[in-house]
Amino acid sequence: MTLPIPVATIGLLLLLSNVFMTVAWYGHLKFKTAPLVTVIFISWGIAFFEYLAQVPANRIGHGHFSAAQLKTIQEVISLSVFAIFSWVYLDEKLGWQHGVGFSLICLGAWFIFHDFS
């Protein structure tokens, strides 16, 4: 059984890649005493798994989605994953201004997916 292209692209691969990306980019912030070179190499190792999901997701999704739509999907997923990660893992509070800012980005995404011509 093969998954529909949007499910494979968005639900599995882009979501999975963004979890790895967020951990690679921000996970080290709890380990400020670790040597910078160490966290860089660990982040690169984690980012490898991001690419194992991101590249196939874009390859599978392109054609069904335009490149601009793929990037927009990735950014919205990235912000969503990041918001949860920063709240749960970094224990950072998100305020109303974050909600407004994220909503405006989602509004921009809505425009990317609509053809007004």
Side-chain angles (χ1 to χ4, degrees), residues 37-114:
V37 69
T38 300
V39 297
I40 288 171
F41 281 111
I42 291 170
S43 292
W44 278 352
I46 295 168
F48 172 75
F49 294 100
E50 173 207 347
Y51 278 80
L52 286 178
Q54 181 76 18
V55 172
N58 286 329
R59 183 71 69 97
I60 291 166
H62 191 251
H64 184 85
F65 298 109
S66 70
Q69 289 172 327
L70 284 168
K71 182 61 180 171
T72 302
I73 294 166
Q74 186 273 327
E75 292 298 335
V76 170
I77 291 173
S78 180
L79 275 174
S80 301
V81 169
F82 176 77
I84 294 167
F85 180 85
S86 65
W87 174 52
V88 173
Y89 182 77
L90 296 176
D91 198 32
E92 294 185 359
K93 307 294 183 241
L94 297 176
W96 66 268
Q97 68 276 23
H98 298 101
V100 170
F102 291 168
S103 296
L104 290 172
I105 290 169
C106 288
L107 179 62
W110 181 82
F111 279 97
I112 297 292
F113 280 88
H114 286 82

